Amino acid sequence: MSHVKTPEPRQRPAWTESVRAALIATVVVSIVLLAFAWPTVTSKTENLPVAVVGTQEQIDTVTEKMPENLPDIHPVADREDIVNGIKTREVYGGIVLGGSPEILTASAASPVASQMLTSMGTTMQRGIDQQVIEKTTQALQKITGALSQGPSGLAALQGQQQGSGQQAMTPPTVKTTDVVPLSEDDPWGSGLAIAGLPLTMGGMIGGILISTLVTGARKHLLAIALYGIFGGLALASIMQSNFFANWAGIGLGIAATASVIVGLSSLIGRAGLAVGAVLTMFIDNPISALTSPKEFIVAPFGEIGQWLVPGLSGTLLRDLSYFPDANIAARFWALIGWVALGVVLTLLGHHKNESSITGKDEPEQPILHHEPRHPHTAQHSTAARYGATGESVTETPDADGTGTADGYGANAPQRA
């Protein structure tokens, strides 16, 4: 009898897998783009802290010609107060009103803010020029009217000028002064902005490598400390500005990021590496305000970003390089706090699962099974051992009730 084999149905390609992979990739790349583009798209050029010297009337006259909510006005007594506020990073610049108008900027604090303040000065100058033009036009109209009246009109005009004490004067020119300029090697401030990403990635990469290449809590902590020293030294040497101060700031920044990532890895395993990388690159870095004032980022994320590791590192590096009068103690202690957090997480993870931290598996203890021996089995075993001599052997029970393994020893077999 012949058997006809039915052909199996041809399996079609699993198109659903391709669609799912494409959708997942689309979601991931959208999240990445959103994380980096969101601060720029949602940023608003407003609430920029600016110190102003002048009367309230003068301040109102100037600010009403500026974009709404652009400056956050801080009235001060004199020009020196503006300079002190800039050097201590309380304000981004200042405006001096009156007979000698001046715009004070700090391109080292933020090139974006400096350009905006410079544009304010341009607006002020246009306003002054417009007032001069209006006054000049009015004067020409008076002269034209006097000339039409003949000598009597000119005489009356001269009398009005002498009575009012009007004198021809040169219109004021708005002066612009950069109180804290950028260095000549980095006139556009791109060095500090570009350095922010390598510092963030450097700390992240260091944390991942230490987590994967080093085992043991003590070795983890030693590697983090050495990475902060060596990594800070290398990056400060590349930047070549204010070497020792930058060494301390950079080393502490990358050590803080690496410490947190190592701690997360120790506590929750390999998933901690992914969590630390996502937090560092896609949350902390975009709101760090390395390229624009923190006031331009949607509140309260701009202020929050200043106390996360990338924002702390970038701001500390800027202060160390250009603003020695600024209060940097709080930022140093905040970075030390992040390092301490990573240390605590590492130790907690080590005590929670010591084998996963040290990389040493505990030796398995052999399990002894004592099975009861059947009398028939014992006789068969004895016969197999002593059948050649024809002697019978009676085993003496051990302390546990079983016979000896070989029939010898303390309880030797008795011959019948």
Side-chain angles (χ1 to χ4, degrees):
M1 181 177 179
S2 61
H3 297 279
V4 179
K5 186 177 181 181
T6 304
E8 296 181 357
R10 183 179 179 182
Q11 295 182 352
R12 295 183 178 181
W15 298 109
T16 56
E17 296 182 0
S18 301
V19 174
R20 182 177 61 182
L23 290 176
I24 293 174
T26 301
V27 172
V28 171
V29 73
S30 299
I31 292 174
V32 171
L33 179 60
L34 181 63
F36 282 93
W38 174 79
T40 303
V41 173
T42 59
S43 64
K44 299 180 180 179
T45 54
E46 61 182 19
N47 299 325
L48 186 70
V50 177
V52 180
V53 175
T55 64
Q56 188 60 46
E57 183 181 356
Q58 291 173 331
I59 293 174
D60 294 339
T61 302
V62 171
T63 54
E64 69 182 7
K65 298 179 180 179
M66 297 179 183
E68 186 179 1
N69 297 328
L70 174 56
D72 181 14
I73 300 298
H74 295 261
V76 294
D78 52 30
R79 183 182 185 277
E80 190 63 26
D81 290 339
I82 297 179
V83 174
N84 292 334
I86 292 174
K87 290 184 176 181
T88 56
R89 301 214 64 187
E90 296 175 6
V91 293
Y92 284 88
I95 303 173
V96 178
L97 302 175
S100 301
E102 184 180 10
I103 298 292
L104 303 177
T105 66
S107 56
S110 171
V112 175
S114 179
Q115 293 174 4
M116 295 182 65
L117 287 167
T118 302
S119 67
M120 290 183 190
T122 303
T123 302
M124 287 176 56
Q125 187 64 60
R126 290 175 180 172
I128 294 173
D129 294 342
Q130 184 64 33
Q131 291 178 359
V132 171
I133 292 174
E134 291 176 356
K135 290 182 178 180
T136 303
T137 302
Q138 293 174 1
L140 290 174
Q141 290 176 350
K142 289 181 179 181
I143 293 173
T144 303
L147 289 174
S148 63
Q149 296 176 4
S152 60
L154 291 175
L157 179 61
Q158 291 177 356
Q160 292 177 1
Q161 291 178 347
Q162 291 176 359
S164 61
Q166 292 181 353
Q167 296 179 354
M169 65 176 185
T170 304
T173 301
V174 179
K175 180 182 177 182
T176 301
T177 304
D178 196 345
V179 178
V180 187
L182 289 161
S183 66
E184 296 180 357
D185 298 332
D186 186 20
W188 300 105
S190 57
L192 287 173
I194 294 174
L197 186 59
L199 289 180
T200 303
M201 293 186 63
M204 183 184 68
I205 293 172
I208 294 174
L209 291 177
I210 292 172
S211 297
T212 55
L213 300 180
V214 181
T215 58
R218 294 180 180 178
K219 293 180 181 179
H220 277 160
L221 300 182
L222 177 60
I224 292 171
L226 293 177
Y227 180 57
I229 296 173
F230 297 149
L233 175 63
L235 295 178
S237 300
I238 295 173
M239 295 186 66
Q240 297 179 348
S241 63
N242 200 3
F243 176 77
F244 290 103
N246 286 342
W247 182 8
I250 294 172
L252 191 57
I254 61 176
T257 301
S259 176
V260 172
I261 290 178
V262 171
L264 290 173
S265 175
S266 301
L267 190 63
I268 62 177
R270 297 302 183 190
L273 300 179
V275 173
V278 169
L279 289 175
T280 301
M281 287 299 299
F282 302 140
I283 297 179
D284 299 355
N285 187 66
I287 61 175
S288 60
L290 295 177
T291 58
S292 64
K294 62 183 177 64
E295 290 79 8
F296 291 177
I297 299 177
V298 176
F301 298 105
E303 190 63 35
I304 293 174
Q306 291 299 290
W307 298 102
L308 301 177
V309 176
L312 285 169
S313 302
T315 303
L316 178 61
L317 190 61
R318 188 182 298 274
D319 290 350
L320 290 172
S321 299
Y322 294 103
F323 297 91
D325 295 334
N327 183 15
I328 60 175
R331 303 194 183 281
F332 262 116
W333 283 111
L335 285 174
I336 292 173
W338 280 106
V339 174
L341 174 62
V343 172
V344 171
L345 293 176
T346 300
L347 295 177
L348 287 176
H350 175 71
H351 289 292
K352 179 182 177 182
N353 190 0
E354 184 176 358
S355 62
S356 67
I357 298 297
T358 60
K360 298 179 180 179
D361 295 329
E362 296 181 358
E364 296 183 358
Q365 298 295 334
I367 301 175
L368 300 178
H369 298 280
H370 298 284
E371 299 180 356
R373 301 180 65 182
H374 195 276
H376 177 74
T377 304
Q379 292 177 3
H380 178 75
S381 176
T382 304
R385 288 198 296 268
Y386 304 106
T389 60
E391 297 178 342
S392 61
V393 178
T394 302
E395 292 182 309
T396 304
D398 289 338
D400 60 355
T402 61
T404 57
D406 54 2
Y408 295 96
N411 301 319
Q414 298 178 359
R415 299 171 182 255

